Amino acid sequence: MKITDYMREHLLLLDGGMGTLLQAAGLRPGEAPERWNLDAQRSALIREIHRQYFEAGSHLVNANTFGANRLHYTIEELEAIVAAGLALAKTARDAAAGTQPKWIALDLGPTGKLLKPYGDLAFDDAVSIFAEVVRLGVRYGADCIFIETMNDSLETKAALLAAKENSDLPVFVSNAYGADGKLMTGASPAAMVAMLEGMGADAIGLNCSLGPEALLPVVKSYLEHASIPVLFKPNAGLPTEIDGKPFYTLQPAAFAAGVAEAARLGARAVGGCCGTTPAYIQAVAEAVADLPLLPIRKKNETVISSYTHAVTFGKTPVLIGERINPTGKKRFKEALRTHDLDYILGEGLRQQANGAQVLDVNVGLPEIDEPALLCEVMQELQAVSDLPLQIDTGDAVAMERALRRYNGCPLINSVNGKAESMAAIFPLMQKYGGVAIALTLDENGIPATADGRIAIAENIMAAAAQNGIPRHRLIFDPLAMAVSADPTAAETALEAVRRLHAMGCLTSMGVSNISFGLPARDAINGVFFACALERGLSAAIMNPDSAEMMKTYHAFRALHGMDADFGDYIAFAQRLQPAQTAQSASPAGAPAAESGSALQDVICKGLREQAGALTKQLLETRPPLEIVNAQIIPALDRVGVGYEKKQLYLPQLLMSAEAAKSAFEVIKAAVPAEARGGKCAVVIATVRGDIHDIGKNIVRLLLENYGFTVTDLGKDVTPEAIRDAVIARHAPLAALSALMTTTVPAMAETVRLLHEEAPWCKVMVGGAVLTQDYADRIGADFYSPDAMGAVRYAEQINETL
C-alpha cells in the first residue's frame, strides 16, 4: 500500500529526533552525523534508533540523510551515505515488532545557504544539489521523500522541484517557523500552502524550531487553507544547557498532549523533532489512539502568493498594477532597451505605495531577449517588493522560465480558448502551480456577444478539468473592448462579468481598455470600473496611480461592508491631501524619512544602482561623512526598525543593506583609506562543526554597513582559531553563530576560551537553536534573536570604547 493511500483513512505517526540521540551517544561537536551510517559500530546505533521508533508506533521513519548533499560530501561518499542510510532503516523495519504498516523516507534538509539574490547559491544549482540526492534515494529504495526544516520559501521550492522532476515518489514538505509564525525569509503559512499545494506536494506542514503549544497557531493556519494532509513535528520545547549539553525540558506526556491537540484539529501526520525520543513517539501514539479522524476538506480557494504573503480572490476586489508593461509607454520601452532596471523597479514600488496588491510584469518587445529579461525583472522586483506578481507573456519559453524561478504561487497572464494556448499553459500550471487569467477568446477571435464569451469560458473550464486544473484556479477575463470602436462593448463585457459571477466564477478585466481613443479617459474608466464591481468583478488590471480609479475602488469597498470601520477609505482620503501626496513613498513597513531624502528612500527600497548614482551626485555638494551619518545610516535605521517590528522581512533588510553597500563603495572610492575612520573590530564565525552560515553572513553584512571592521572567519571554526583572531586584532566583540543543536557545546567551549584568554572581548551569540536562557547558561555576554539586535549591541560596545 502506498503511504498516500494509507493517509486517506488513517492518522500517520512519524518518528522523532535523531541528532540529540546521537549526541547523547557520543556524537562530537561538529561531527557529521550522516558519516555514522558508514561506521560499523555506530551504524548499529542508527539502526537501533530506527527500530525503536518503529516499535514506538511510527509508520514512517526518516533515514539518516538530513545533511547529505554535495556541499558537504564528495559524490562518492554521498552515494555511500544515502545507500547505507536507507539500508539501515530497512533492516530496522524488518527487525521491528509491531503490525502497523511501515515506510522509510529519504530525508532532505536545507543546504545551509541563502539563494540569490540574497545569498550566493543560484536557484538552478540548488535544484541540482537536491536532485542528486533524490536520484540516489530512488536508486536505493526510499518509499517517499521528506523535505524538512526549510526556512526559506525559494529553497523549499527548489527541493520540491528536484523531488518531482527526479522521482514519482510521494513528497512530504515541512518548514521551520519562528515565534512570529513566519519563515526566516518572511513567508506566512498561507503563502507556503498556496505554493506547495499548487506544485503537487502530497503532504505539507511544519517541524522543528519550537514546542507544540507555540506552533499550534501555525498548524491552525495550515488546516484553514490546505486541501491536502497537514503534518506536524515540533521540538520538545526550547533547549536549555546542563553539563555542557542541550536539554529539552518538555516531557513526553506534555509533548504528546500538545501534538494530540493538533491531531484533534485535523493534522493527519504527527511526530517529533529536536529533543524527542522513542518514548515521546510512544506517548504520542497513546495520546492519539482514540481520536476521531477528521476529513480533509477541499478549500477551493483562489490564492496566489509572494515570498511573504498570500492574496485571496473572491472576498474583496483585488487590484493588479498595470504599469510594468511597454504597451503605449514610450519611457518604459526605453527603460527595457537600455536595461534601466531602477526605473522599472521604481514603477513597481510606486504602484505598491499607491495601493496595488499584485504587480503585472510584461517586458515583451520584439528586439529583446524576453525569456532572460522577464526572469531578471521578476527576480529584481521580488528583491525589493513583497507583492505577488502576475507573469504576463505570450512567449511559452519565457513563461516556463519565469514560473520555474518565481518565489511563490504566481498569477499567470494568460491562457485562452485556443487549443494551442491551453496545451501550453495547463501543463505549466500542473508543474509549477499558480492561478491563470483565462481570456474569453479562441481560434475565431473575440465573440461579439456575452453568450459567445461565456461559451468559451465553459470550454476552458472543461479542458482545464481534463488536465487536472480545477475551476478555482482560473480567473476569467471577458475582455473590455474600446467603446469608441463599439458602443455596445461596455454592456457586453459587463453582462459577461455578471453571468460569470452568477456561475460562481472569478473575473478580471483590463479596465482602462474601455476608454481607448477617448479624451479624459479616467472619467470613463472610473465609472466603468464601478459598474463592473457592482456586477461582481473580482480583480482589475488597472493603474493605481489614477485617483479616479482608486476613489471608485475604496468607495465601493466602504459602501459594501468590505472595509472595517472605513479604515482603508479614510487612509486613502488622507493621502489625497496635497501636502501628503507630495511626499516620497517609503517601502511598506518602513517609517517615513523626516528629511525626505532621495538617497534614504532608494536605500530603503533596495535600489542598488540608484543608491550608487545618488551618492555620486551628493558627493559634489556634501562631505562624505555627512552623507554617511545623515543619509546612509538613517536609512538603515529606518529599515531596521521596520524589521524589528515585523513590518519588513529578511529579504527587504538584505536588499536595503546591499543598496547601502553600493553607496558605501562610492564613498570609499572618494575618500582615502586613512581618512575614513570606522568603528571597532568584530570577529564573527559559525562555531566548530556547524556548516550553516546564513545567519552569520547576514549579521556580517549589516555590521559592515554600519561601519564596523568585521573579520569573518567563516563556518566550522575551532574555538582556538576564534581566540587567535580576537587576540590578534584586540577585538572588543566576537559574534558566534550556531544552527545545529549538536554544535552548541562548541559554542559554549568558545565562549569559555574567550573569557579566559581574551577577557576584554564581549561575546554575543545567536542562531535558531539558542535562547536567552541557553546563552546565559554558557556565559555569553549577549544573545540576539536577529541580525538587527546584533547591530544594536555592537553599537553599544563601540560607544563604550
Side-chain angles (χ1 to χ4, degrees):
M1 177 187 293
K2 288 184 65 174
I3 192 170
T4 47
D5 294 332
Y6 182 83
M7 288 180 70
R8 291 191 184 99
E9 303 296 335
H10 302 85
L11 180 68
L12 192 75
L13 197 61
L14 307 171
D15 64 0
M18 174 63 77
T20 44
L21 289 172
L22 296 185
Q23 191 173 21
L27 181 73
R28 298 187 304 273
E31 187 178 3
E34 293 83 15
R35 284 200 173 97
W36 280 35
N37 295 349
L38 306 178
D39 181 276
Q41 182 176 354
R42 291 167 171 174
S43 63
L45 177 62
I46 301 287
R47 182 170 56 247
E48 177 62 15
I49 291 171
H50 290 327
R51 186 190 66 79
Q52 289 180 18
Y53 276 126
F54 278 128
E55 293 196 348
S58 295
H59 298 102
L60 178 64
V61 161
N62 288 352
N64 185 35
T65 58
F66 176 82
N69 63 62
R70 72 165 182 251
L71 296 179
H72 309 146
Y73 303 99
T74 65
I75 297 299
E76 294 76 17
E77 190 177 23
L78 176 62
E79 180 168 2
I81 284 171
V82 173
L86 289 167
L88 290 169
K90 289 178 185 178
T91 305
R93 177 175 60 185
D94 294 341
T99 60
Q100 83 273 23
K102 302 179 183 75
W103 292 275
I104 295 164
L106 174 74
D107 194 13
L108 280 184
T111 62
K113 289 183 172 291
L114 269 179
L115 272 63
K116 293 180 178 179
Y118 316 118
D120 58 2
L121 182 62
F123 178 81
D124 287 336
D125 290 340
V127 175
S128 175
I129 288 166
F130 290 122
E132 288 174 344
V133 188
V134 169
R135 289 191 292 268
L136 291 172
V138 172
R139 181 183 307 167
Y140 292 105
D143 298 313
C144 67
I145 297 166
F146 203 114
I147 299 165
E148 65 172 337
T149 324
M150 293 285 175
N151 53 23
D152 172 46
S153 56
L154 192 58
E155 186 176 25
T156 308
K157 179 173 183 173
L160 180 54
L161 267 180
K164 301 290 285 185
E165 290 179 341
N166 293 276
S167 81
D168 58 3
L169 298 177
V171 185
F172 296 0
V173 184
S174 183
N175 290 98
Y177 289 86
D180 61 350
K182 311 276 188 180
L183 299 189
M184 178 186 71
T185 48
S188 69
M192 294 308 297
V193 170
M195 182 179 78
L196 298 174
E197 190 171 306
M199 291 178 63
D202 294 284
I204 56 178
L206 56 151
N207 76 292
C208 205
S209 65
L210 301 166
E213 183 178 356
L215 288 173
L216 202 58
V218 179
V219 176
K220 290 178 179 178
S221 184
Y222 266 82
L223 293 170
E224 178 185 355
H225 298 290
S227 299
I228 58 177
V230 171
L231 64 90
F232 185 40
K233 291 188 69 176
N235 286 352
L238 291 170
T240 186
E241 189 266 344
I242 296 179
D243 296 329
K245 295 182 179 180
F247 177 76
Y248 289 83
T249 56
L250 194 62
Q251 295 303 299
F255 175 84
V259 172
E261 176 62 13
R264 186 188 68 78
L265 293 171
R268 188 55 65 94
V270 295
C273 199
C274 298
T276 62
T277 67
Y280 283 75
I281 300 306
Q282 184 174 346
V284 171
E286 294 169 357
V288 302
D290 298 324
L291 289 179
L293 197 68
L294 295 183
I296 298 172
R297 296 183 297 103
K298 295 293 183 184
K299 307 305 189 302
N300 296 325
E301 293 181 331
T302 303
V303 184
I304 61 172
S305 68
S306 66
Y307 69 86
T308 60
H309 67 281
V311 170
T312 302
F313 292 81
K315 297 179 179 179
T316 188
V318 174
L319 301 182
I320 304 168
E322 68 180 8
R323 302 298 296 172
I324 304 178
N325 188 316
T327 304
K329 302 180 185 73
K330 182 178 179 180
R331 176 65 183 88
F332 192 88
K333 289 179 181 178
E334 182 62 24
L336 291 177
R337 294 187 182 107
T338 60
H339 202 254
D340 186 356
L341 291 184
D342 275 355
Y343 176 81
I344 297 170
L345 300 183
E347 287 290 289
L349 290 169
R350 191 179 70 252
Q351 289 182 96
Q352 179 174 4
N354 287 336
Q357 293 133 357
V358 181
L359 297 177
D360 181 77
V361 183
N362 184 315
V363 298
L365 284 179
E367 65 268 32
I368 67 169
D369 181 353
E370 185 176 358
L373 187 57
L374 179 60
C375 278
E376 183 180 13
V377 170
M378 178 191 74
Q379 290 172 318
E380 290 293 326
L381 268 173
Q382 288 209 288
V384 300
S385 170
D386 67 346
L387 293 188
L389 303 182
Q390 175 172 274
I391 310 302
D392 185 356
T393 178
D395 184 319
V397 174
M399 180 65 79
E400 173 154 24
R401 195 178 296 181
L403 293 180
R404 184 176 185 83
R405 291 163 179 79
Y406 179 73
N407 191 356
C409 179
L411 186 56
I412 298 167
N413 192 11
S414 58
V415 69
N416 60 57
K418 295 179 181 179
E420 179 184 16
S421 174
M422 292 187 287
I425 296 299
F426 289 154
L428 297 181
M429 293 179 68
Q430 286 181 309
K431 182 173 183 177
Y432 300 111
V435 173
I437 300 293
L439 307 181
T440 55
L441 61 86
D442 60 12
E443 287 82 356
N444 297 314
I446 302 172
T449 66
D451 286 343
R453 298 180 196 185
I454 297 299
I456 291 175
E458 291 172 336
N459 290 339
I460 293 173
M461 279 187 275
Q466 291 175 357
N467 283 272
I469 308 295
R471 183 172 70 174
H472 70 266
R473 289 181 60 191
L474 299 170
I475 299 175
F476 292 93
D477 186 342
L479 299 168
M481 308 300 289
V483 289
S484 59
D486 177 7
T488 68
E491 282 302 323
T492 300
L494 293 172
E495 175 61 11
V497 169
R498 185 194 67 78
R499 290 174 58 181
L500 285 164
H501 178 69
M503 293 163 57
C505 297
L506 297 173
T507 54
S508 175
M509 280 197 299
V511 176
S512 60
N513 293 338
I514 202 72
S515 65
F516 185 77
L518 294 174
R521 294 183 64 185
D522 264 4
I524 295 287
N525 294 343
V527 173
F528 178 69
F529 187 25
C531 294
L533 290 171
E534 285 293 347
R535 286 161 175 80
L537 187 69
S538 312
I541 302 174
M542 48 78 74
N543 179 9
D545 300 344
S546 165
E548 289 299 319
M549 295 288 281
M550 297 305 293
K551 286 177 186 177
T552 298
Y553 171 74
H554 285 291
F556 175 85
R557 292 185 69 248
L559 293 171
H560 288 75
M562 299 176 178
D563 185 0
D565 300 321
F566 300 96
D568 292 340
Y569 179 81
I570 292 171
F572 168 71
Q574 290 174 339
R575 287 199 300 272
L576 290 179
Q577 299 292 329
Q580 289 168 311
T581 54
Q583 292 179 356
S584 299
S586 293
E594 294 180 4
S595 65
S597 160
L599 180 57
Q600 283 194 41
D601 283 342
V602 298
I603 290 174
C604 287
K605 293 170 183 176
L607 300 177
R608 292 168 301 214
E609 293 181 11
Q610 200 168 338
L614 281 173
T615 303
K616 287 181 181 178
Q617 294 178 16
L618 286 172
L619 281 171
E620 296 175 1
T621 58
R622 301 188 189 184
L625 190 59
E626 179 184 327
I627 297 172
V628 171
N629 292 332
Q631 309 293 337
I632 301 175
I633 295 301
L636 288 170
D637 285 339
R638 286 169 57 193
V639 175
V641 169
Y643 177 72
E644 290 169 328
K645 292 181 177 179
K646 305 298 182 184
Q647 297 167 337
L648 297 175
Y649 294 98
L650 182 61
Q652 294 154 300
L653 180 69
L654 292 178
M655 295 314 297
S656 293
E658 289 292 345
K661 184 177 180 180
S662 176
F664 272 123
E665 290 301 322
V666 175
I667 296 287
K668 289 179 182 178
V671 179
E674 61 273 13
R676 292 175 198 159
K679 297 177 182 176
C680 69
V682 180
V683 172
I684 189 168
T686 301
V687 298
R688 182 179 61 197
D690 204 317
I691 44 75
H692 301 86
D693 61 358
I694 293 174
K696 182 262 298 177
N697 290 345
I698 294 166
V699 173
R700 182 202 69 216
L701 175 63
L702 290 178
L703 287 173
E704 288 175 339
N705 275 329
Y706 271 83
F708 290 90
T709 304
V710 181
T711 299
D712 184 354
L713 301 181
K715 57 192 176 183
D716 190 15
V717 185
T718 66
E720 293 76 17
I722 297 171
R723 174 204 59 196
D724 293 346
V726 167
I727 293 174
R729 294 156 182 79
H730 202 75
L733 180 62
L736 308 179
S737 174
L739 182 69
M740 302 161 61
T741 56
T742 55
T743 60
V744 173
M747 178 178 281
E749 183 182 349
T750 305
V751 172
R752 178 190 58 77
L753 190 63
L754 286 173
H755 283 167
E756 288 177 356
E757 301 191 27
W760 65 84
C761 180
K762 299 294 183 181
V763 184
M764 68 174 170
V765 299
V769 297
L770 291 178
T771 63
Q772 183 65 61
D773 178 67
Y774 209 123
D776 292 342
R777 285 177 177 270
I778 65 175
D781 297 293
F782 184 76
Y783 161 71
S784 178
D786 57 47
M788 283 308 302
V791 171
R792 304 294 187 220
Y793 182 66
E795 293 276 19
Q796 292 177 25
I797 297 299
N798 188 72
E799 289 174 2
T800 65
L801 299 177

